[in-house]
Amino acid sequence: MPHSTRLALALVAALVLAGAAPTAGDRTAGATDVAEPDGANVDDPVADGNGAQSQPTEDNETVEIETEEFDPDYDPATVLRRVEELRGLQATQGITLHEYDAEEGPPYDVRDSFGAIRPVGAQTLQLYSNASTERRQPLGYTVQRQAAVHIYLLDDEALAEHGVSQEAVLAHEFVHALQFQHDLITPSRRQFQSEFDRWTTDSRLVTTAIVEGDAMWVTEQYFDRYDDSDYSVAEYNRTLARAAWPHSVAGTPYYYGYEFYELAGSSPADRSAAIEAPPNSTAELLHPGEEVPGVRLPADPEIPDDRNLTRYHTDTVGELVVRHALRMNGLSFARAADAAEGWADDRMYYYAAAGATGPATHWVTAWESETEAREFVAAWREMLDANGARASSESDTLFVPASDEAPGMHYVIERDGATVRITAAERAGTAERLAAATTDSPRETTATA
């Protein structure tokens, strides 16, 4: 097989924050390359004839790995033993493995949402697309139900089309099984939500990154030790086509989570500690050890009733999404990273407009300095210009015309020192009315120590 192959494993929303490497056709996630490990095993455990194998642990107790209605051609117990050693954790109870068939289907239009980003937010970020993308099944995922861990693996025949073995998928998923069994993650992510004041797109990416970065660290070690193929986590640092933007954004934590551990500490104990006390934002994830100055955002806008605008949703997008949105719209990796660096906080407010004028967003971003804010505005304007933006003859409102993939959007962009406000809507009047209303709202911006 090729030295490196595209591996796709999806996050299962609501059930688990554990997957492996998702790809551009998956229902919920991103992509990477892994290599097929050597199938040779040593110290094979004894199978009981019913798909269950006993695996000794450090205290001489055993855990059972039960394979439900399929017979793998590799030894799951040996894979678990290797992963236990690499992760520095022992399985505490049995794990059930399941196999499922691939469901073929035509390309489809991925819903334009990710995390707390709703479709009009995707339009604001120039991510929205009505184009279709390839449909694929997740190659594997892990769930915990009633304290029991279950791993689901795509069947061998379908995996062969991806150039990856079931053993490769299983090694990654066993890390998530250990995370569950040692209470590092919970099925609904409830312990992560308690770590943040607000459960946003940014906080979801942070927590996914520390969980998947941990699994990626072990996965790379697994291949380094047990396989001589050319595997590299750097393959995650890529950008998919716009039609697959939710998968593209969802794939970023795998690379940046791994990079975080490389910079912040990669021992098993370090990784467990980071999962239990995650960084506060993707800015801290991307720049471990660097101080992110506290900046207070302006007070929430107070929209007068006569403006006929009703707020229905609020989100924090975060530095990683800003960086990725710029990349997906043609800016180089380096240019996008430079423009997004200096992010201190943001809030995207979603509004419903009366009548048929459509929804709108008011996105407030706070930056470490006026220089950083100016650099962001310049990059954002460059990105809009690349998409055909033109200014109105009567105002400063910018209009990005409709394309084959997305509707047109109007933007009002304002900078006040280190604060940038971007108001966006499909209709110019809605964007201008919302921007004017927020201008009359409290605007204090205070730097904190």
Side-chain angles (χ1 to χ4, degrees):
M1 61 174 291
H3 282 303
S4 54
T5 57
R6 190 68 65 192
L7 171 65
L9 295 160
L11 301 175
V12 179
L15 286 178
V16 64
L17 193 74
T23 193
D26 296 344
R27 291 173 292 195
T28 55
T32 192
D33 286 342
V34 292
E36 183 175 349
D38 192 335
N41 295 314
V42 295
D43 300 328
D44 292 348
V46 178
D48 66 7
N50 295 312
Q53 296 175 328
S54 296
Q55 170 64 33
T57 61
E58 287 183 337
D59 56 6
N60 294 321
E61 295 180 357
T62 60
V63 299
E64 287 190 336
I65 303 174
E66 182 178 355
T67 55
E68 191 166 280
E69 298 183 353
F70 78 107
D71 184 20
D73 60 3
Y74 54 89
D75 177 18
T78 297
V79 179
L80 176 60
R81 175 179 55 77
R82 292 168 172 175
V83 170
E84 286 178 319
E85 180 184 357
L86 293 171
R87 183 54 183 86
L89 296 174
Q90 298 293 313
T92 61
Q93 64 186 64
I95 300 169
T96 303
L97 310 184
H98 308 260
E99 187 178 63
Y100 59 94
D101 297 331
E103 296 179 6
E104 298 297 332
Y108 74 120
D109 182 15
V110 178
R111 188 172 187 273
D112 286 278
S113 61
F114 172 82
I117 299 173
R118 306 284 179 83
V120 68
Q123 289 178 239
T124 298
L125 296 166
Q126 285 295 310
L127 294 173
Y128 182 95
S129 171
N130 58 23
S132 60
T133 189
E134 183 180 1
R135 182 189 295 275
R136 293 182 185 174
Q137 290 290 103
L139 302 189
Y141 57 91
T142 302
V143 300
Q144 184 182 49
R145 293 191 300 265
Q146 299 177 341
V149 176
H150 298 260
I151 294 175
Y152 293 81
L153 304 165
L154 196 58
D155 64 85
D156 275 326
E157 183 178 350
L159 286 170
E161 295 180 7
H162 295 275
V164 65
S165 71
Q166 221 175 55
E167 181 179 348
V169 178
L170 182 59
H172 188 109
E173 296 307 321
F174 270 145
V175 180
H176 296 311
L178 296 176
Q179 291 168 341
F180 276 127
Q181 291 185 352
H182 288 266
D183 296 322
L184 293 173
I185 57 175
T186 56
S188 65
R189 299 183 283 189
R190 59 183 176 272
Q191 94 278 24
F192 285 133
Q193 294 186 45
S194 68
E195 296 287 334
F196 298 90
D197 294 335
R198 302 170 65 254
W199 191 235
T200 66
T201 298
D202 191 57
S203 55
R204 295 177 201 207
L205 284 169
V206 168
T207 54
T208 303
I210 58 173
V211 168
E212 294 299 343
D214 179 23
M216 289 304 299
W217 196 274
V218 173
T219 303
E220 185 173 73
Q221 289 181 310
Y222 190 96
F223 290 117
D224 284 346
R225 182 170 297 187
Y226 301 111
D227 186 84
D228 60 359
S229 54
D230 186 18
Y231 171 76
S232 173
V233 178
E235 295 295 331
Y236 275 113
N237 195 17
R238 84 286 177 267
T239 305
L240 301 177
R242 182 164 168 170
W245 78 264
H247 308 313
S248 192
V249 173
T252 60
Y254 296 82
Y255 173 76
Y256 291 109
Y258 180 92
E259 287 292 296
F260 171 80
Y261 288 121
E262 187 168 53
L263 295 171
S266 60
S267 72
D270 289 334
R271 301 199 303 274
S272 293
I275 294 173
E276 291 175 333
N280 290 322
S281 65
T282 56
E284 292 187 6
L285 177 82
L286 293 168
H287 313 289
E290 296 182 17
E291 182 179 357
V292 178
V295 176
R296 184 183 304 165
L297 284 168
D300 290 3
E302 296 176 2
I303 309 300
D305 292 339
D306 62 1
R307 301 301 177 99
N308 294 317
L309 293 162
T310 303
R311 189 165 78 209
Y312 66 90
H313 181 56
T314 307
D315 185 26
T316 295
V317 172
E319 181 178 338
L320 181 53
V321 168
V322 172
R323 176 189 293 196
H324 206 67
L326 292 170
R327 276 170 41 171
M328 292 200 74
N329 282 277
L331 271 68
S332 69
F333 282 30
R335 176 89 168 94
D338 288 344
E341 189 171 359
W343 176 99
D345 203 354
D346 77 67
R347 200 82 78 243
M348 183 178 283
Y349 303 95
Y350 289 67
Y351 293 88
T357 56
T361 62
H362 180 66
W363 184 29
V364 183
T365 60
W367 299 84
E368 294 178 9
S369 67
E370 289 191 32
T371 299
E372 299 286 1
R374 281 194 295 269
E375 184 174 358
F376 167 68
V377 169
W380 200 258
R381 285 292 305 268
E382 179 181 334
M383 182 261 282
L384 296 182
D385 290 343
N387 287 326
R390 58 177 183 266
S392 168
S393 59
E394 300 176 356
S395 69
D396 293 331
T397 302
L398 292 174
F399 176 58
V400 176
S403 67
D404 292 339
E405 292 190 354
M409 287 294 284
H410 291 82
Y411 291 85
V412 178
I413 302 175
E414 304 166 294
R415 186 181 64 81
D416 178 14
T419 301
V420 178
R421 297 174 177 81
I422 298 176
T423 309
E426 288 189 30
R427 297 198 176 193
T430 305
E432 291 165 358
R433 185 156 43 99
L434 178 55
T438 57
T439 298
D440 297 333
S441 298
R443 296 167 64 92
E444 178 186 3
T445 304
T446 305
T448 58

